Amino acid sequence: MTDSPATNIPGPDDAGLTEKPKSDHPSGKQSYGKLMQVVRGFAFIVYFATCILTIFTTQVIGLPLYVVNRDWYYAYMAMTKQHFAIVTSFMTYIWGPTKIRISGDATVAGQMRAMPGGRVEFDFPERVILVANHQIYTDWLYLWWVAYANRPRLHGHIYIILKASLRYIPFIGWGMMLYSFIFMTRKMATDQPRMAYRLWKLRQPKTSPSGKTYYDPMWLMLFPEGTNLCANGRTKSESWAKKNDIRDPEHLLLPRGTGMYFCLSELKGTVEYVYDCTIAYEGIPRGEYGEQLFGLSSTYFQGLPPKSVNLYWRRFKVSDIPLATQAEFDIWLREEWYNKDALLEEYTTTGRFPPLQDGPTQFIETEVRTKYPWEIVNIFTVLGIVGLVTNSLKKLWAARSAAPLAS
């Protein structure tokens, strides 16, 4: 995040659409030829466009629930959010397969388990603030998959802070609005009231039939750096460090704590933990940037995904984080970012994060995929039901209309 709470959304260069040409790509694979890239790209676009239009249409069908019952409405939209996670997980498994290597420190011991069939299961809480460094445009995709692989599954309860202009993207932006994502302009006078309202909704208590108070599940995803690691961001981070007489990390951008501080202050008392993920992509040479090597085009069209995506997890109790003043919090966040930088230095030097503190293996290795390959069919369920009902009503109407003529 930047000084305003908004998360930057990269432009074409940041999205990795202009990858640096490499004869020896760190994916360890040869790029597909031009013809195959066109075929893969066409198949990907057809798949993704079909799925997005299906999900958005499903959302539109559920809009009347907003005036019928708000709880039903939000549960319905959470279902469509699950559908999007399934779409991105399935497309990564087919077009951009990669190994996911997972470890963490003692604070997350016992919360990540290898499962039969090569899957992994996380046991993170239902309400967390999830923060991570921002390496490439698709970092969020892997983190959303973690919510899918959690027990219980929480991929329908992800909330992301986005640049306000993204809401105007046809279908995708409109769908994100219906997901209750938080859109920011990066002008605090405008953003703070809007963000306060959204966070207020996320901290509203519910009452069960038995009279017990509870809060809805929520994974609020934040990237405190504000943008992915790139040459332009690196220059700005160095300038900021020099201006404020602080150390600039080598493998990260300096975090801007205003947005995260605001979120923690607003949600304090309703969320117990911050889960921090340090992400590293195998094969990025020291001093270079992942967005140059693992962009959308190289990963999904050229068939050059990273050999491995490495996730190192830590957990912090919100009650242990200094929130008395913004200045105290900024110092805490910066120190934790230096710790993340040390983790990335270890990864850059050795090719591995520190191993797990428990379990039979040092690292859990898996891949981004759905538990069952046919789960992708779920996104068409509502449209299928609506189609069947509509067709049945048409036949019934036709039969009733024809009855007088027959008599």
Side-chain angles (χ1 to χ4, degrees):
M1 285 189 307
T2 58
D3 278 335
S4 75
T7 298
N8 278 354
I9 300 300
D13 289 339
D14 291 308
L17 299 179
T18 55
E19 290 86 7
K20 182 186 295 184
K22 288 281 187 179
S23 57
D24 185 19
H25 196 273
S27 68
K29 300 178 181 179
Q30 292 294 320
S31 174
Y32 287 106
K34 293 295 183 183
L35 177 61
M36 183 55 67
Q37 289 184 40
V38 170
V39 171
R40 283 171 58 89
F42 178 76
F44 178 89
I45 290 169
V46 169
Y47 164 82
F48 191 70
T50 300
C51 291
I52 291 301
L53 287 172
T54 298
I55 292 173
F56 181 70
T57 304
T58 301
Q59 290 177 310
V60 171
I61 290 170
L63 285 176
L65 290 174
Y66 189 81
V67 297
V68 175
N69 185 296
R70 295 293 172 86
D71 288 339
W72 294 355
Y73 168 80
Y74 288 118
Y76 183 92
M77 291 303 163
M79 176 194 70
T80 67
K81 203 181 292 188
Q82 292 174 346
H83 290 171
F84 187 80
I86 290 171
V87 167
T88 55
S89 296
F90 187 77
M91 79 184 192
T92 300
Y93 179 67
I94 299 297
W95 279 275
T98 184
K99 179 185 296 181
I100 306 293
R101 186 177 295 117
I102 304 162
S103 63
D105 69 7
T107 62
V108 293
Q111 297 182 50
M112 302 173 290
R113 295 177 293 277
M115 303 296 288
R119 295 185 302 107
V120 64
E121 185 176 82
F122 297 84
D123 193 20
F124 295 171
E126 290 189 351
R127 287 180 64 86
V128 301
I129 293 176
L130 174 61
V131 300
N133 57 310
H134 208 354
Q135 292 282 301
I136 64 176
Y137 178 67
T138 49
D139 290 331
W140 59 269
L141 183 153
Y142 300 106
L143 296 174
W144 204 333
W145 165 80
V146 170
Y148 167 87
N150 198 68
R151 189 189 67 173
R153 291 186 181 183
L154 294 167
H155 53 306
H157 300 283
I158 286 281
Y159 296 89
I160 307 176
I161 298 175
L162 303 170
K163 214 163 61 168
S165 58
L166 291 177
R167 73 172 72 190
Y168 303 111
I169 299 176
F171 304 110
I172 295 177
W174 305 337
M176 290 189 294
M177 291 175 65
L178 294 174
Y179 285 159
S180 298
F181 285 174
I182 303 171
F183 292 89
M184 298 286 110
T185 64
R186 290 187 231 162
K187 296 179 181 178
M188 282 302 291
T190 303
D191 290 341
Q192 188 162 315
R194 181 185 297 120
M195 194 171 188
Y197 173 72
R198 287 295 182 186
L199 295 176
W200 174 81
K201 291 179 72 71
L202 291 175
R203 70 171 188 264
Q204 290 307 295
K206 301 289 182 68
T207 303
S208 68
S210 63
K212 183 178 180 181
T213 299
Y214 68 96
Y215 296 96
D216 282 335
M218 176 206 72
W219 277 27
L220 180 61
M221 189 189 303
L222 307 175
F223 294 102
E225 291 164 296
T227 187
N228 62 315
L229 185 64
C230 59
N232 184 48
R234 175 80 275 145
T235 299
K236 290 181 178 180
S237 183
E238 291 171 352
S239 175
W240 178 267
K242 184 176 181 180
K243 178 181 178 181
N244 292 275
D245 194 26
I246 55 179
R247 178 165 61 91
D248 188 42
E250 179 180 353
H251 307 286
L252 300 161
L253 305 179
L254 279 169
R256 306 296 181 89
T258 304
M260 184 175 173
Y261 175 75
F262 187 77
C263 291
L264 285 168
S265 299
E266 292 292 306
L267 294 172
K268 184 173 58 175
T270 70
V271 61
E272 188 174 2
Y273 294 107
V274 170
Y275 275 73
D276 171 75
C277 184
T278 302
I279 307 176
Y281 295 86
E282 183 174 348
I284 300 175
R286 186 184 294 273
E288 295 193 26
Y289 308 109
E291 55 96 12
Q292 298 174 298
L293 302 167
F294 303 121
L296 297 176
S297 176
S298 62
T299 297
Y300 293 105
F301 297 171
Q302 297 175 31
L304 299 174
K307 279 186 180 180
S308 67
V309 179
N310 299 264
L311 309 177
Y312 186 84
W313 291 93
R314 301 182 298 162
R315 184 178 75 170
F316 303 95
K317 292 192 71 171
V318 173
S319 59
D320 292 336
I321 298 174
L323 296 174
T325 66
Q326 174 79 58
E328 287 181 288
F329 174 77
D330 286 345
I331 293 171
W332 175 87
L333 181 61
R334 191 161 58 245
E335 288 302 317
E336 292 305 330
W337 233 246
Y338 291 149
N339 291 335
K340 288 170 75 71
D341 194 51
L343 286 167
L344 285 165
E345 173 60 29
E346 180 171 345
Y347 180 84
T348 302
T349 303
T350 68
R352 292 289 188 276
F353 281 128
L356 285 165
Q357 300 293 311
D358 67 314
T361 60
Q362 292 187 321
F363 301 92
I364 298 174
E365 294 188 348
T366 185
E367 58 187 337
V368 174
R369 60 182 173 117
T370 55
K371 185 176 182 179
Y372 304 108
W374 56 84
E375 282 187 67
I376 189 64
V377 178
N378 291 346
I379 74 170
F380 303 102
T381 302
V382 172
L383 290 190
I385 293 172
V386 170
L388 286 172
V389 170
T390 302
N391 188 53
S392 298
L393 291 174
K394 283 182 178 180
K395 289 182 178 180
L396 180 61
W397 179 260
R400 288 175 63 88
S401 300
L405 297 176
S407 62

